[in-house]
Amino acid sequence: MHVSMIELKAALRRCFEASGYFVGNYEDAANMILWLEKHGLNGLGELDRAISYIKEDKEKSLSTVVYEDNTSAIIDSNGRSALNCIAASVDLAHAKALECGIATVTVHNCHNRMFVLKALTDCGRRGISAAAYWQNGSQVVTEHAVAIKAGDRYPSYSEATTNLASLEVTAGEKQALTIICSSRVDLTASLQQSKGNSNARYVSASQVAKNKEYSVDHGIEIDEQLWAEINKIGEGILVENTERSRMGAGGR
């Protein structure tokens, strides 16, 4: 089914607010999904895979800082979706890079890490080069990398499938994300198309820009079942607001 960008954003905001996301966080989450979808990177498909984690986030502990120094940090997101924690982690890396020139933040126990692209893009637009790397899978691993040059408007993205069956990886490492920000070094040089891997996919910054032009012209298509699920979760905040209104009216 076809929905407008305004309708989708409003529904997403209600969905995340009802799921216990704080003010600001539910705006970030909605914008992360919309950004991926608008730029041809399957934001709604990622959301479909993230729904189960979104429902559980309310019951999980907030992210905790395991280690921190001037140029690095290790954060445990305690099994939360990136929609509910990754923007703050990228902001931390950005702040450290402004202070020290380059910084690395590693996030463990984090799901749906594809949503980091929006936050990294914001870094680039604020004049900081940024990159991120993560892996998905166990026997067959998909490696993901994204980078943006300081001052650019769009990032480059790549993924490649590798057979790492013989490599032992802990559960924490499987759900880890490494973020690097620098005010001195162009990190996009590390993100290049892998010509030796037939399973590699590379999306250039210019292609990301073209994808946005297409979505602006053709709008957003969403699966009816996913749309129903988003609105079902969002009903929680509508009920809560109705109860508050009744209490307010009764107290006058």
Side-chain angles (χ1 to χ4, degrees), residues 154-171:
Y154 301 103
S156 300
Y157 167 75
S158 73
E159 64 178 61
T161 303
T162 337
N163 191 337
L164 296 179
S166 59
L167 183 64
E168 292 186 8
V169 182
T170 66

Side-chain angles (χ1 to χ4, degrees), residues 169-188:
V169 182
T170 66
E173 289 173 325
K174 286 180 181 178
Q175 298 302 327
L177 170 72
T178 300
I179 303 160
I180 307 170
C181 290
S182 178
S183 60
R184 301 173 184 170
V185 180
D186 177 12
L187 298 172
T188 59

